[in-house]
Amino acid sequence: MKPITVARVGGHDWLLVCNTPDNSIEIWDTDESLPIAARFKKRVRVGLEPVSVKFNPVTGRAYTADFLSDSVSVFSLLIEGGTIAFRPSMTRYVGDEPRDIVFAGAGGSRTV
């Protein structure tokens, strides 16, 4: 399980963090010149108990393995108005308690 990942979007690094109790992914700015409180940017609602998050730079999408809801949530990351934005894409039910996401080939993904 990998509850934290870095997503490079628009030439800038963003930290994606699983917030398991809140059923969400938090997006944090990695700009160290900002105070900690200003680094938090967005919260993306996903399935129940996200335990892993991965970003695919080929597709610009983030994927979460949602342990309790037996699903994978997918959302796109993009820059709008100078800050990070997200666009929910889909939720797929994948079977009992997915724990991680791996990418196979050119932009494909699968759960393990």
Side-chain angles (χ1 to χ4, degrees):
M1 292 185 277
K2 295 175 181 69
I4 300 173
T5 195
V6 175
R8 187 167 221 18
V9 180
H12 185 73
D13 290 334
W14 302 90
L15 196 62
L16 307 180
V17 181
C18 290
N19 184 334
T20 301
D22 190 47
N23 303 319
S24 65
I25 298 298
E26 294 180 354
I27 302 174
W28 292 79
D29 195 331
T30 60
D31 185 351
E32 292 185 16
S33 67
L34 294 173
I36 278 290
R39 292 185 197 178
F40 178 75
K41 297 299 179 187
K42 304 278 182 195
R43 178 171 285 127
V44 182
R45 294 284 172 200
V46 295
L48 301 177
E49 287 193 19
V51 293
S52 288
V53 60
K54 293 275 179 84
F55 179 72
N56 187 330
V58 174
T59 63
R61 292 180 178 164
Y63 298 77
T64 65
D66 308 319
F67 187 77
L68 194 57
S69 61
D70 302 332
S71 63
V72 170
S73 298
V74 183
F75 55 95
S76 298
L77 292 171
L78 53 138
I79 300 296
E80 285 183 350
T83 190
I84 192 80
F86 66 92
R87 190 166 293 135
S89 182
M90 70 183 91
T91 298
R92 297 264 169 112
Y93 296 93
V94 295
D96 199 28
E97 301 174 346
R99 292 175 180 85
D100 205 356
I101 304 285
V102 295
F103 298 119
S109 65
R110 64 186 180 117
T111 59
V112 292

